[in-house]
Amino acid sequence: MAENRHFIYDGPVAGFYYRSKEVRKLARKIYKKKLENDEFLVGDDFKEEADYGIYLENIKVLHNPENKYDKNAIEVYSDDIFIGYIPKTSNKRVLKELDDNKDKTIYYEACYTKEDENDEFFDDYNEPERVDLSIYYDY
């Protein structure tokens, strides 16, 4: 990993609420796979990792100029499942930075988080959920 990291975007995925069932299903699949393979991202055991969130896989962001509400819309996907959008307040800047830095290796990370540290990760869906997205490059 490089010494410095420049974040093009680091924040929530907008519109996740409307797709939460599909994203929850995807996160559960990743959770089970990691549990079976004894893989960890955070902490000493997978339960601790689950308290922080599940990193989604194969993240893509796609500009959709055909979006009828916003010609600068940027869609976010994981494993070809539509998660939501980069918020409208950030998408022009993100598009410009992605274009200005297309010669660099850009990294995409998305983390599904359920903000209840007291319950099993997937037991109680009444607690707040979110997906956070980071787009960055090292320099």
Side-chain angles (χ1 to χ4, degrees):
M1 180 167 87
E3 201 170 301
N4 296 302
R5 184 166 281 176
H6 173 77
F7 284 90
I8 294 172
Y9 180 76
D10 191 29
V13 173
F16 158 74
Y17 172 79
Y18 301 104
R19 294 153 198 92
S20 61
K21 184 176 179 181
E22 293 83 10
V23 177
R24 191 179 306 123
K25 184 177 175 183
L26 178 62
R28 184 183 292 116
K29 177 180 154 188
I30 294 167
Y31 176 93
K32 286 179 180 179
K33 180 179 86 173
K34 290 189 177 296
L35 189 62
E36 290 168 2
N37 295 328
D38 290 326
E39 294 178 31
F40 309 106
L41 295 176
V42 182
D44 296 325
D45 60 42
F46 198 81
K47 172 67 174 85
E48 185 176 337
E49 177 186 329
D51 286 341
Y52 291 96
I54 298 294
Y55 281 87
L56 302 177
E57 299 172 341
N58 305 313
I59 303 302
K60 294 188 288 194
V61 297
L62 300 173
H63 177 213
N64 180 1
E66 303 301 318
N67 183 297
K68 66 181 179 178
Y69 300 106
D70 182 6
K71 64 180 175 128
N72 295 307
I74 304 172
E75 299 171 343
V76 181
Y77 293 84
S78 172
D79 282 337
D80 296 323
I81 294 172
F82 179 47
I83 297 172
Y85 297 92
I86 290 178
K88 189 174 185 173
T89 56
S90 300
N91 60 17
K92 274 187 181 179
R93 181 188 54 77
V94 169
L95 285 173
K96 181 176 180 348
E97 282 206 54
L98 286 173
D99 188 53
D100 290 350
N101 294 290
K102 56 185 162 200
D103 60 325
K104 296 179 174 63
T105 301
I106 306 293
Y107 299 94
Y108 304 91
E109 294 177 358
C111 185
Y112 167 86
T113 304
K114 181 173 167 291
E115 297 177 356
D116 183 6
E117 296 180 14
N118 298 319
D119 291 330
E120 183 69 23
F121 188 69
F122 293 106
D123 280 355
D124 182 0
Y125 297 136
N126 294 323
E127 295 298 326
E129 297 174 277
R130 70 177 189 273
V131 174
D132 291 312
L133 173 69
S134 296
I135 304 172
Y136 61 91
Y137 61 86
D138 293 330
Y139 63 97

